Amino acid sequence: MRKNIVAGNWKMNKNLQEGVAFAKDLEAALAGKALKCDVIIGTPFIHLASVASSTKLGVAAQNCADKASGAYTGEVSADMVASTGAKYVILGHSERRTYYGETDAILKEKVLLALANGLSPIFCIGETKDEREKNVHFDVVKKQTVDALFELSAEDFSKIVIAYEPVWAIGTGLTATSAQAQEMHAYIRQTIADKYGKEVADNTSILYGGSANGGNAKELFACPDIDGGLIGGASLDVEKFIPVIEGF
Ligand code: PGA
């Protein structure tokens, strides 16, 4: 069966000392709780090794290079990410698509390199406000999924976690309603079933992201096709993150 997952995405926040202290505090606060989900924290590159070696929390990078190695100044490869002990990498976040020009073709390469290095991609898809208003949101999300992921074998696809993040909901305080999120998650699962079959689709974790917090997590996570969250703002404080984790 698919896993329930709550993953934090710190984005470009917290220096190394703050990040390591946060991870230790979070682990201590979760100790002894009967968790109903896996907990992952998505840190900047420089935190990965320290957080992975000082806690048992799942650790995710927020990006990796679209090249395996070589003369790409400033880039960090999937092999390097894996060598830190991180097991996940967030790919295709809308901020990377928008600010750093990441296309579906680039993301396809990143996904392949992540998988080749034993990392599970947390692959982000989602429509803009304009696209939803034009009623093309299902098409947009389908295209992002198909173009970057649907050449994978079923075995490789089974290592992917999907994060549906409507761009209009990210960092805006404007959460999708649980009905809007459930409708899209069911559509994504059906799209996966059409390509890889019902079993693979049923085993794929599909997370919701976009202003999810302790106040709305419970209702979102109660939806049949919502298997957790990718959490930005509310993952930056232990006291705000725990109620999201406890949304399960
Ligand atoms: P938010 O960010 O929770 O702050 O809206 C979510 C994300 O960008 O992953």
Side-chain angles (χ1 to χ4, degrees):
M1 258 319 274
R2 58 189 184 250
K3 283 186 192 161
N4 291 332
I5 298 171
V6 171
N9 174 12
W10 291 353
K11 310 191 180 184
M12 198 173 70
N13 292 293
K14 299 189 188 297
N15 66 25
L16 180 60
Q17 289 73 31
E18 291 164 346
V20 171
F22 173 98
K24 287 184 177 161
D25 289 351
L26 177 63
E27 187 170 53
L30 294 175
K33 287 189 194 280
L35 297 182
K36 298 204 181 73
C37 62
D38 289 359
V39 177
I40 298 170
I41 48 181
T43 81
F45 288 129
I46 60 140
H47 303 55
L48 293 172
S50 306
V51 172
S53 63
S54 58
T55 74
K56 290 198 170 60
L57 296 167
V59 182
Q62 300 171 15
N63 182 27
C64 70
D66 61 342
K67 306 286 193 301
S69 65
Y72 301 103
T73 302
E75 287 294 290
V76 175
S77 71
D79 171 41
M80 293 172 193
V81 169
S83 75
T84 67
K87 298 278 185 265
Y88 299 88
V89 56
I90 299 168
L91 290 175
H93 192 282
S94 69
E95 288 151 17
R96 301 238 29 113
R97 292 177 190 261
T98 306
Y99 305 143
Y100 301 100
E102 294 195 4
T103 60
D104 292 331
I106 291 171
L107 291 168
K108 192 170 149 185
E109 297 304 317
K110 295 190 177 199
V111 167
L112 288 172
L113 285 161
L115 290 168
N117 286 282
L119 296 168
S120 282
I122 300 174
F123 191 78
C124 305
I125 53 181
E127 82 286 357
T128 62
K129 183 164 177 280
D130 189 47
E131 288 161 343
R132 183 164 276 264
E133 282 167 2
K134 290 196 176 116
N135 208 30
V136 293
H137 45 302
F138 292 110
D139 298 342
V140 167
V141 164
K142 182 171 186 176
K143 186 170 169 19
Q144 290 171 336
T145 309
V146 170
D147 288 0
L149 302 178
F150 275 13
E151 280 177 30
L152 296 175
S153 66
E155 193 192 336
D156 275 344
F157 188 86
S158 69
K159 295 168 192 146
I160 306 276
V161 174
I162 301 279
Y164 169 58
E165 299 207 304
V167 179
W168 48 272
I170 296 176
T172 56
L174 207 72
T175 323
T177 64
S178 54
Q180 284 172 322
Q182 166 56 29
E183 180 186 39
M184 184 59 89
H185 282 229
Y187 175 78
I188 295 165
R189 199 177 304 286
Q190 186 57 50
T191 303
I192 297 167
D194 292 345
K195 167 75 184 169
Y196 291 105
K198 188 170 182 319
E199 193 182 336
V200 171
D202 282 346
N203 285 330
T204 303
S205 297
I206 307 178
L207 316 184
Y208 168 80
S211 299
N213 58 46
N216 54 34
K218 204 173 170 153
E219 184 182 332
L220 286 162
F221 299 169
C223 297
D225 288 295
I226 301 182
D227 309 308
L230 181 57
I231 315 298
S235 76
L236 292 172
D237 291 301
V238 171
E239 313 76 60
K240 288 191 184 146
F241 197 33
I242 299 256
V244 183
I245 295 166
E246 292 185 325
F248 278 110

